Amino acid sequence: MNSEYFVKLLLILISAAFVNNVILSQFLGICSFVGISNKIKTATGMGFAVIFVITVASAIASLIYKAILYPLELDYLKTIVFIMVIACLVQFVEMVIKKFSPSLYNALGVYLPLITTNCAVLGVALINVDKEFDLLTSIINGFGTAIGFTIAIVLMAGIRERLEYNDITKSFKGSPIVLITATLMAMAFYGFAGLV
């Protein structure tokens, strides 16, 4: 691997995590972002689950697209195939979390199976194909995107835990203050725009 390729991969990783943060700049995966970000522990668990699913889904989707769909001119099936790959991965993650961490499994609740329909996971797989990334670049982009998702959701969970002890007007409690906070976080992450 030459140095130019390594620098390209590093820039893609940084860009996916910070500059083009999947939640705060692309607005994908908002439902789990708002729903799970109550506690740092559950947000971290969700983040690790998403890291695994997005990274592996990026690799598998890239392989399936390049080895099967593109050569056989079945490009129009990519969305359906990618959703099936993601669903299988989420089922695997759900079984592992249920076996090894029942408390996290219960805390994540309905949001764990919703990773299947999390548009961030599908979005990354489709972006990798549309940008014609090779396998390693797809994995790096997926991993960077998942790291960005995890950073955003854990930061939001930390802020929400602190907000519990503040005196907030009744009309702003719950989702309104979360969305306002997310807006401020998105503006802060916009500062990374000139980085890459």
Side-chain angles (χ1 to χ4, degrees):
M1 179 167 34
N2 63 21
S3 61
E4 285 182 23
Y5 188 67
F6 178 74
V7 169
K8 176 188 170 192
L9 292 177
L10 185 62
L11 289 175
I12 286 172
L13 180 72
I14 292 169
S15 174
F18 296 106
V19 179
N20 298 317
N21 186 285
V22 72
I23 292 176
L24 300 174
S25 70
Q26 296 180 12
F27 308 110
L28 298 174
I30 295 291
C31 59
S32 57
F33 176 69
V34 173
I36 289 295
S37 61
N38 293 330
K39 301 286 180 207
I40 291 177
K41 183 179 178 183
T42 55
T44 304
M46 176 63 115
F48 285 130
V50 168
I51 287 172
F52 177 79
V53 170
I54 287 182
T55 304
V56 175
S58 295
I60 294 172
S62 179
L63 287 172
I64 289 173
Y65 184 78
K66 293 200 184 317
I68 299 170
L69 298 178
Y70 184 73
L72 296 177
E73 297 181 5
L74 298 171
D75 297 8
Y76 57 91
L77 292 175
K78 66 184 174 190
T79 303
I80 295 169
V81 171
F82 293 172
I83 288 172
M84 290 189 317
V85 166
I86 292 164
C88 291
L89 286 171
V90 170
Q91 287 300 313
F92 174 74
V93 168
E94 189 173 0
M95 289 186 303
V96 169
I97 291 176
K98 188 174 184 179
K99 172 86 172 158
F100 293 107
S101 183
S103 61
L104 179 60
Y105 177 79
N106 292 331
L108 291 175
V110 70
Y111 292 100
L112 187 57
L114 283 180
I115 295 175
T116 303
T117 59
N118 188 335
C119 51
V121 183
L122 178 61
V124 173
L126 292 173
I127 287 169
N128 289 339
V129 167
D130 289 343
K131 290 190 175 182
E132 298 178 359
F133 287 157
D134 61 12
L135 177 62
L136 183 58
T137 308
S138 296
I139 293 169
I140 295 295
N141 185 49
F143 181 71
T145 300
I147 292 294
F149 179 92
T150 303
I151 289 169
I153 199 168
V154 170
L155 283 173
M156 176 58 86
I159 292 169
R160 286 180 75 175
E161 282 186 2
R162 299 278 312 253
L163 285 174
E164 285 181 22
Y165 303 108
N166 292 331
D167 187 27
I168 299 171
T169 308
K170 185 179 178 182
S171 61
F172 282 107
K173 287 191 177 191
S175 294
I177 195 69
V178 171
L179 295 175
I180 290 169
T181 304
T183 302
L184 294 172
M185 287 175 63
M187 290 169 59
F189 268 69
Y190 186 70
F192 291 117
L195 186 66
V196 179

